[in-house]
Amino acid sequence: MSQGSPGDWAPLDPTGGAPAPPNPFVHELQLSRLQRVKFCLLGALLAPIRVLLAFIVLFLLWPFAWLQVAGLTEEQLQEPITGWRKTVCHNGVLGLSRLLFFLLGFLRIRVRGQRASHLQAPVLVAAPHSTFFDPNVLLPCDLPKVVSQAENLSVPVIGALLRFNQAILVSRHDPASHRRVVEEVRRRATSGGKWPQVPFFPEGTCSNKKALLKFKPGAFIAGVPVQPVLIRYPNSVDTTSWAWRGPGVLKVLWLTASQPCSIVDVEFLPVYQPSLEESRVSTLYANHVQRVMAQALGIPATQCKFVGSLSVIVVGRLKVALEPQLWELGKVLQKVGLSPGHVDTGAEPSRSRMIGQEEFARQLQLSDPQTVARAFSYFQQDAKGLVDFRDVVPALAALDGGRNLEELTCLAFELFAEEQAEGPGRLLYRDGFSTILHLLLGSPCPAATTLHAELCQEAPSQGLSLCQFQNFSLHDPLYGKLFKHLLVPPTHLSRHLPDTKCHLPRQPHCSGQWDHASTQAEG
């Protein structure tokens, strides 16, 4: 991240070390003056009528959805609905759904390729998933059975449509629910055509269409053939993308309804027949299908995904934040125009120093309460709302840019390494290792814990020496690139951040002796 701002950071390509395309979770809608005028006029005239009519049609869907399942028991709903219920209700919902999207401006749904039968491909995988308008893809697929969150059953109209669809429901809060979903998908996929196809959006969340996210293995666990389905929105202005950072739901809906005409292309690729190995290893199967679809779309296949509320890229055994909080902290400190100062940390090796917001503000010479609260929130707090100042020291040192990577990793090691119960020297154990990677790379702790265990397999102890830690962080052909790529601060940040002087005892270094007390960051 040697150029640009934290928001411009491009994730590291773990295979080649070159920057990948921009963050797929960020959508910046750039409009010219003429386009803004057009959207203002059409937004006032066209959008209100379209949105109102679309909501009316949405509520008209409810009677058809309710009628199909009315009077049926749970046991009966475990089998496909047939007869008049399917003929009348299914066609009614299909027609009204097409009308709904037509009213929102999707005057054309262009279909390319040939959709396979449910015997040829029991599972459909659609990508890229970029917007809540993507259910458009269900229309040329004849409303196949979907997978949805169980919580959506309580949403008016939407819940009725899910019951009508005999959707496969998964609950985020019930771990056993995921196992039941896998079993149900396998049961339907191997029913010999008895059930309609099951569509998946294997990315699991929305992006900006510029890259494919890492595919989740759920669609591939059954090991049956799948048909990839590509979704494109070839419009002059991209009003449909609904990424994690960008226009919100209402703005996306309003801008899209303000377009005179929106077009969506749905392309069916040839059925993908898994090899024997792919049918056994769902992650391998998912990765291969992802690459096929990315190649057809002309965009990269990335290892980016969401873990909880954190966007990460998978590199080896590690998950790394696409935009580490470290750089968000740098932006917060930069906005207040900090002048170079002296931060007397008083940090001691392997010893916590818990501080509150007042001490934090004094150390960083911050006076604005809002800035103090935002900067303080980037660090892990205990039950009393205090943070360990050892966490603050390496973060400021990395942002300040006055230390090279060797010095920075040595500083982090000395702060979090612990004395051995037996034998000389100090070792970096699991918790300290996880804390360092979380602070500097934004890695979720569970991933760092697993990696630490693997690194310690070749060592007789359960900790890493300084040499072992620096071999990992500086010289490892894969992980070393992460530190070099992420821990080079933007030049505009290093000019404004405070000095971080940390007086620590002398520590043996892999290539000799180095004294922390002789090194300080120049603000």
Side-chain angles (χ1 to χ4, degrees):
M1 188 167 171
S2 57
Q3 302 292 333
S5 67
D8 298 329
W9 177 73
L12 185 70
D13 180 354
T15 57
N23 189 334
F25 297 106
V26 177
H27 175 53
E28 297 180 356
L29 184 60
Q30 303 290 345
L31 298 176
S32 66
R33 181 176 299 178
L34 179 61
Q35 288 172 330
R36 287 197 294 269
V37 172
K38 184 188 76 171
F39 276 112
C40 286
L41 293 176
L42 293 179
L45 300 174
L46 188 59
I49 299 173
R50 279 182 164 175
V51 172
L52 176 61
L53 292 176
F55 271 97
I56 292 174
V57 172
L58 180 63
F59 280 96
L60 288 177
L61 285 167
W62 179 82
F64 288 92
W66 173 83
L67 183 61
Q68 177 165 292
V69 298
L72 297 180
T73 64
E74 289 298 325
E75 290 74 15
Q76 290 175 314
L77 290 175
Q78 298 304 310
E79 296 297 328
I81 293 176
T82 58
W84 67 268
R85 291 176 183 267
K86 179 180 179 181
T87 303
V88 175
C89 299
H90 180 89
N91 291 334
V93 170
L94 181 62
L96 287 173
S97 297
R98 180 65 191 99
L99 177 59
L100 185 149
F101 284 109
F102 182 87
L103 291 172
L104 288 174
F106 293 95
L107 308 185
R108 297 180 63 189
I109 299 179
R110 302 188 302 201
V111 180
R112 301 175 181 176
Q114 183 66 42
R115 176 192 168 204
S117 69
H118 48 277
L119 288 174
Q120 295 170 314
V123 173
L124 303 172
V125 288
H129 186 21
S130 62
T131 176
F132 47 81
F133 293 121
D134 283 341
N136 260 309
V137 77
L138 301 180
L139 301 179
C141 298
D142 197 32
L143 298 183
K145 307 305 181 184
V146 301
V147 179
S148 178
Q149 297 178 26
E151 292 77 10
N152 289 336
L153 283 177
S154 60
V155 179
V157 183
I158 301 300
L161 290 173
L162 290 176
R163 293 185 181 91
F164 151 84
N165 186 259
Q166 294 180 279
I168 302 173
L169 301 176
V170 57
S171 174
R172 290 182 176 181
H173 310 294
D174 181 11
S177 171
H178 296 270
R179 184 180 66 254
R180 291 194 296 269
V181 167
V182 170
E183 294 172 353
E184 182 62 16
V185 170
R186 182 179 288 112
R187 182 179 76 89
R188 296 191 185 189
T190 57
S191 65
K194 184 178 179 181
W195 280 92
Q197 290 164 311
V198 180
F200 281 86
F201 292 97
E203 293 172 288
T205 191
C206 292
S207 67
N208 60 13
K209 307 184 186 78
K210 295 180 180 178
L212 283 188
L213 307 181
K214 182 178 178 63
F215 279 12
K216 296 179 181 295
F220 309 93
I221 289 178
V224 297
V226 303
Q227 183 172 30
V229 184
L230 308 181
I231 310 174
R232 299 183 179 93
Y233 294 86
N235 303 295
S236 58
V237 181
D238 182 8
T239 62
T240 60
S241 288
W242 182 47
W244 283 84
R245 193 164 79 232
V249 174
L250 293 179
K251 187 173 183 179
V252 169
L253 178 63
W254 200 261
L255 289 176
T256 302
S258 301
Q259 290 267 53
C261 175
S262 294
I263 299 173
V264 56
D265 286 346
V266 177
E267 181 178 358
F268 294 96
L269 296 183
V271 174
Y272 190 100
Q273 299 284 347
S275 65
L276 182 60
E277 184 180 9
E278 288 172 336
S279 62
R280 292 175 177 173
V281 184
S282 58
T283 53
L284 180 67
Y285 191 1
N287 290 339
H288 289 176
V289 173
Q290 182 203 30
R291 285 200 290 268
V292 169
M293 297 180 72
Q295 184 176 9
L297 289 162
I299 60 177
T302 72
Q303 295 294 298
C304 300
K305 66 177 185 178
F306 251 81
V307 176
S309 60
L310 183 68
S311 57
V312 301
I313 182 171
V314 180
V315 181
R317 296 289 186 180
L318 200 60
K319 297 180 179 68
V320 181
L322 283 169
E323 293 187 354
Q325 288 188 325
L326 179 65
W327 304 120
E328 292 297 319
L329 172 64
K331 289 195 292 185
V332 171
L333 298 179
Q334 181 194 18
K335 286 181 180 179
V336 297
L338 287 179
S339 300
H342 176 75
V343 178
D344 182 16
T345 65
E348 298 183 18
S350 66
R351 182 173 297 178
S352 299
R353 179 188 171 196
M354 308 305 294
I355 64 170
Q357 285 198 29
E358 292 185 3
E359 177 65 11
F360 179 83
R362 189 186 69 79
Q363 292 283 7
L364 271 66
Q365 301 180 5
L366 298 174
S367 57
D368 177 50
Q370 185 176 4
T371 301
V372 172
R374 288 189 61 190
F376 193 76
S377 68
Y378 287 112
F379 300 96
Q380 182 66 39
Q381 301 178 28
D382 65 8
K384 298 180 180 180
L386 305 177
V387 303
D388 189 343
F389 206 74
R390 289 185 304 169
D391 295 356
V392 181
V393 174
L396 290 181
L399 288 171
D400 147 281
R403 302 174 189 264
N404 60 38
L405 289 177
E406 189 175 15
E407 294 168 340
L408 180 60
T409 53
C410 192
L411 168 64
F413 178 89
E414 293 199 14
L415 285 170
F416 293 99
E418 301 178 16
E419 295 288 346
Q420 298 186 66
E422 298 180 359
R426 303 169 65 232
L427 296 177
L428 186 63
Y429 292 104
R430 180 188 62 191
D431 291 343
F433 181 82
S434 299
T435 299
I436 291 174
L437 266 60
H438 179 70
L439 286 171
L440 300 184
L441 305 182
S443 300
C445 289
T449 299
T450 302
L451 179 58
H452 180 270
E454 293 184 2
L455 293 174
C456 290
Q457 285 181 352
E458 300 177 358
S461 63
Q462 294 301 311
L464 300 175
S465 66
L466 175 60
C467 290
Q468 290 172 321
F469 177 65
Q470 290 195 320
N471 283 337
F472 154 76
S473 57
L474 302 180
H475 308 301
D476 184 272
L478 183 62
Y479 300 111
K481 293 177 183 177
L482 291 175
F483 283 81
K484 293 176 184 176
H485 186 67
L486 293 178
L487 298 184
V488 179
T491 55
H492 67 278
L493 288 180
S494 60
R495 290 195 299 267
H496 299 286
L497 292 177
D499 280 348
T500 53
K501 290 187 178 181
C502 182
H503 302 281
L504 294 174
R506 194 179 181 104
Q507 169 75 21
H509 185 255
C510 294
S511 58
Q513 298 285 333
W514 178 66
D515 189 354
H516 266 321
S518 66
T519 303
Q520 69 180 40
E522 299 298 332

